[in-house]
Amino acid sequence: MFLIPEPIGRFFHRLASPPHFYALTNRLMPWLVALFLILLISGLVGGLYLAPADYQQGDSYRIIYIHVPAAWMSLFIYMMMAIAGAIGLIWRIKLAEIVAISSAPVGAAFTFIALVTGSLWGKPMWGTWWVWDARLTSELILLFLYLGVIGLYGAIDDKKTASKAVAILALVGVVNIPIIHYSVEWWSTLHQGATVTKMDKPSIHVSMLIPLLLMALAFKFYYVIAMLQRAKLELLQRERTAQWVKKLITEQTL
Amino acid sequence: MTLAEFFYMGGYAFYVWTAYGICFVVLLATMILPMIKRKQLLRKLALKEQRQL
């Protein structure tokens, strides 16, 4: 900690204390929800109404505005979960453990959305709901990893042990992340290659790119909101006997 | 573009609107469920606290 300036260290120390985190979450929530809704509505208007139809895929391509951001989130949240899990494992920070496990259901939701919307896009464009190719299969494995994390955490009663087990599982599963990303280059597939996340200029027109990025940003805010809701529940469950929870209850019933 | 044309989605209405519908329902449920569970937990803890007093 000697490299970190004093006020920043103090900020993180306070943030890691459960009652402070709980109160801060409550104060931030309206702002997070407002930003999320602004981004979501402008993204949807841009994607569904303002952007032109694709010259090959017609209007079916509009599924891209949820499919691609959801798929990005499925990878992003997994990395956040693994990093938070590692921090919890190394420094025994309770809040990091809670962020890790609270990320899992949100990540699973986005992975499910990526798979289902991909299927609904694949049917009219490829002529099939599903193919067992590398991209689709590795994304399905990601869903099972998320469900495995949730199941493992629920199966172990002692939540300290459960957090450790879950962090190790999440870290082992990180190998799947580059496989998903590069699967479209390494193996032949029906799935199209990267359009935005590549070294070259994105091969998408700006009128289609802007709503895509707005939706991606909206989903990032959604992740923070949904993860914090889960974290609040998790924190109360773990700290149900703590003094600050008792204070919270008596304040609410008064 | 008329409203009917907008909902028609160039013939892909079923695929586009089903995708958006499922996305909306799943995201809403993922956010609301922990909020409901938290309310239930707080109520349970408050009852327990009252009994102890």
Side-chain angles (χ1 to χ4, degrees), chain B residues 10-24:
Chain B
Y12 295 108
F14 169 75
Y15 301 104
V16 173
W17 297 120
T18 311
Y20 277 82
I22 290 172
C23 178
F24 179 76

Side-chain angles (χ1 to χ4, degrees), chain A residues 22 44 48-49 57 59-60 62 65-66 109 113 116 120 124-125 222 225 229-230 232-233 236-237 246 249 252, chain B residues 1 6 9-10 12 15-20 22-23 26-27 30-31 34-35 37-38 41-42 44-46 49:
Chain A
Y22 198 92
L44 286 177
L48 290 172
Y49 185 74
Q57 304 195 358
D59 282 311
S60 76
R62 293 186 197 278
Y65 297 111
I66 44 176
I113 289 167
V116 171
L120 281 159
M125 288 303 114
Y222 171 85
I225 293 164
Q229 293 300 345
R230 195 94 222 169
K232 277 167 77 179
L233 172 67
L236 284 180
Q237 269 168 348
K246 290 210 169 116
I249 295 160
Q252 277 197 339
Chain B
M1 186 164 63
F6 175 72
M9 276 288 151
Y12 295 108
Y15 301 104
V16 173
W17 297 120
T18 311
Y20 277 82
I22 290 172
C23 178
V26 170
L27 290 188
T30 309
M31 185 160 73
M35 294 167 84
K37 279 192 194 157
R38 189 177 73 240
L41 179 70
L42 281 172
K44 206 178 88 184
L45 291 176
E49 191 76 356

Side-chain angles (χ1 to χ4, degrees), chain A residues 4-239:
Chain A
I4 300 164
E6 174 71 9
I8 295 171
R10 220 172 25 232
F11 170 75
F12 278 106
H13 191 78
R14 268 167 65 97
L15 186 69
S17 105
H20 192 262
F21 172 81
Y22 198 92
L24 185 72
T25 304
N26 285 343
R27 241 181 305 137
L28 284 178
M29 199 48 76
W31 300 99
L32 290 171
V33 172
L35 278 168
F36 164 65
L37 287 176
I38 292 167
L39 287 164
L40 179 74
I41 290 164
S42 43
L44 286 177
V45 170
L48 290 172
Y49 185 74
L50 297 177
D54 185 68
Y55 81 106
Q56 273 183 327
Q57 304 195 358
D59 282 311
S60 76
Y61 98 96
R62 293 186 197 278
I63 294 173
I64 200 175
Y65 297 111
I66 44 176
H67 175 73
V68 169
W72 283 343
M73 288 311 289
S74 71
L75 304 182
F76 175 79
I77 295 173
Y78 195 91
M79 290 314 294
M80 297 309 285
M81 182 175 77
I83 291 167
I87 291 171
L89 209 58
I90 298 165
W91 287 291
R92 309 268 161 84
I93 299 172
K94 189 186 284 172
L95 209 62
E97 294 175 357
I98 284 173
V99 166
I101 191 61
S102 303
S103 296
V106 189
F110 275 120
T111 312
F112 177 78
I113 289 167
L115 287 166
V116 171
T117 57
S119 193
L120 281 159
W121 194 1
K123 186 60 188 167
M125 288 303 114
W126 302 342
T128 177
W129 298 102
W130 185 263
V131 279
W132 287 104
D133 79 349
R135 171 54 71 82
L136 280 72
T137 309
S138 56
E139 184 76 8
L140 186 65
I141 290 169
L142 185 71
L143 181 62
F144 292 149
L145 278 169
Y146 276 122
L147 297 179
V149 162
I150 296 166
L152 185 63
Y153 187 77
I156 304 171
D157 279 332
D158 176 38
K159 291 308 169 200
K160 269 186 192 159
T161 319
S163 295
K164 273 184 208 153
V166 154
I168 291 164
L169 175 60
L171 284 168
V172 171
V174 167
V175 279
N176 192 32
I177 299 298
I179 294 177
I180 297 173
H181 184 77
Y182 291 107
S183 57
V184 285
E185 288 174 30
W186 292 344
W187 293 281
S188 75
T189 168
L190 276 179
H191 198 287
Q192 66 190 63
T195 307
V196 181
T197 51
K198 55 181 188 180
M199 290 304 181
D200 229 349
K201 225 172 75 186
S203 46
I204 177 172
H205 190 262
V206 70
S207 64
M208 295 174 172
L209 180 64
I210 287 170
L212 189 65
L213 296 179
L214 284 171
M215 288 301 283
L217 210 56
F219 279 7
K220 289 262 183 332
F221 275 92
Y222 171 85
Y223 160 59
V224 176
I225 293 164
M227 185 271 284
L228 288 177
Q229 293 300 345
R230 195 94 222 169
K232 277 167 77 179
L233 172 67
E234 204 58 50
L235 209 55
L236 284 180
Q237 269 168 348
R238 279 207 197 187
E239 304 250 298

